[in-house]
Amino acid sequence: MKAQEADEIQAFIKIKTRSLLRQNVRVLYGGSVNGKNAAEFLAQKNIDGLLVGGVSLKLNEFSSIC
């Protein structure tokens, strides 16, 4: 998934949860994040953070995300 597509989905999630919970929520993106695309995802308006999966087991890759 491209970062812009993820941002649009995150915006939808935030709108729906805001209407249900009556409060703002932070939403993490948990897709295929790696050292090469993490900055692009984090630059999006509606992505509040990253949920890093398998890449967290690769020290160099994970360090580049951090």
Side-chain angles (χ1 to χ4, degrees), residues 1-4 6-7 28-45 47-53 55-56 60-66:
M1 176 177 295
K2 295 181 181 180
Q4 185 177 2
D7 188 60
L28 303 178
Y29 176 71
S32 298
V33 176
N34 58 48
K36 294 177 182 175
N37 65 14
E40 185 178 356
F41 281 100
L42 288 172
Q44 301 301 310
K45 179 181 176 185
I47 296 177
D48 298 317
L50 303 173
L51 179 62
V52 181
V55 170
S56 66
N60 290 337
E61 188 84 12
F62 186 68
S63 296
S64 69
I65 293 171
C66 293

Side-chain angles (χ1 to χ4, degrees), residues 3-15:
Q4 185 177 2
E5 294 169 324
D7 188 60
E8 292 170 7
I9 293 169
Q10 301 286 91
F12 176 80
I13 292 169
K14 286 183 172 192
I15 289 168

